[in-house]
Amino acid sequence: MENQEGTQQPHLVLAHELFLLTHHDVQDIEKVRLKEEVLTAIKSDDMVPLYETLVAESLLEKDQGLLDSMRAKNEDELKNLDEKLVRVDWLACHDWAYDRGTPNGDSNTCTFDCSNGSKFYHPNVSTSMVIAHACICKKFKNCRVLGYSSDMVQFWLFYRIADAEENLGESEVREAHLAKSLFYIRIGDKDKALEQLKVTEGKTVAVGQRMDLVFYTLQLGFFYMDFDLISKSIDKAKNLFEEGGDWERKNRLKVYEGLYCLSARNFKKAADLFLDSISTFTTYELFPYDTFIFYTVLTSIISLDRVSLKQKVVDAPEILTVIGKIPHLSEFLNSLYDCQYKSFFSAFAGLTEQIKLDRYLHPHFRYYMREVRTVVYSQFLESYKSVTIEAMAKAFGVTVEFIDLELSRFIAAGKLHCKIDKVAGVLETNRPDAKNALYQATIKQGDFLLNRIQKLSRVIDL
């Protein structure tokens, strides 16, 4: 899952395409293109586990030839990784004639006699070979190898890593395990990838390198939208930072945590984390900078007051340089702050498709739409003690019936502090007094505390 600076991690691009492939609002002709792109990505990385999953879900048609080919490539890749793991002596040996007279009398098995200077031979290998390595052989006795398959490859990797642990330095051992971890990540084998990352962590001492392993785990979590894995990995990363860590990785973690908060509908915290990362953003593996600004503006609008929104978002130079590239976003932000409500609703309608088709925002689409409307209606009513429904409908460029229905829902839900005089066609605001509300809350909490003290005193008296 390594990436160049400025490019999104390919597997997260694939995850977004898979999301669109199952979205009911995406047209069928577009899904045909998406299916081709998904299949191309799977072929390029030989993602056998993901391919099997998509076939089982009827998103792709099964091609047994393709499946066998990818499996063969994976086994070859594991063998290539094995060659990079350690330096061992491979001694050429004369070709053994293959017949029914193999050591075990079985054409599909052979015995690996783990004595000093032992020999390994398997009838399915085109050229017979000898493994002579005392440090490996002294550990294991009479190991039987079954077939020249993925099990065979795993067998080789296991013993070669064991040799590396005895003969090479910590760095080489770690790199060998990391290469295997990245291989499992690339082919989409989540369970084996997490297992191998854990093994690699055990071979890693530096805090920065351990943090990099956490970032790999987080990317896996976002690919599969495994919130439990993401949450635990973020907590783990924070604990690692208590031991040390550079600012670049700390800033990257803020974006990862912000994306998690966004996905978990904690927009307030997401906005704070995103705003803290604007000037130091380097997390291109998650999404491009334009997308980052898109998320920052959307979360800030429903989380910040007008003064903070002006200082941190509307006038922020980092946002101003990018916001014009994102359709409707500049109008959406500025029309809200400038109280141009008709323009705001027009831009809002243009953004709905982008929000609906976003992998992280889609589950919160209806919630976000309500929160944005609450913010803009509250801002409009803040200027009036009373206002006619007709005047408000005209300001927003909608009908009286629409605004009446909208406001009645928000008033009933306790989102707006006003009441509708249907006869006079007037809205009357009744904004709560903050000091009075604090006084009432203090009285209520005081009564609760006194009751608890009285109950405790009775228990003590007994």
Side-chain angles (χ1 to χ4, degrees), residues 394-405:
K394 185 177 180 180
F396 283 90
V398 295
T399 64
V400 172
E401 291 75 14
F402 174 83
I403 207 71
D404 180 65
L405 181 61

Side-chain angles (χ1 to χ4, degrees), residues 419-439:
K419 59 183 180 180
I420 301 175
D421 185 343
K422 188 68 174 178
V423 176
V426 173
L427 287 168
E428 297 180 2
T429 59
N430 52 356
R431 291 184 293 275
D433 186 345
K435 290 184 179 180
N436 185 51
L438 180 61
Y439 173 76

Side-chain angles (χ1 to χ4, degrees), residues 5 10 27 34 40 52 64 114 120 150 170 201 254 330 366 435:
E5 183 178 355
Q27 297 181 356
L34 288 169
T40 300
E52 291 176 332
Q64 189 62 45
C114 295
F120 161 77
S150 59
E170 293 180 354
E201 183 185 3
K254 287 182 180 180
S330 178
R366 296 176 66 86
K435 290 184 179 180

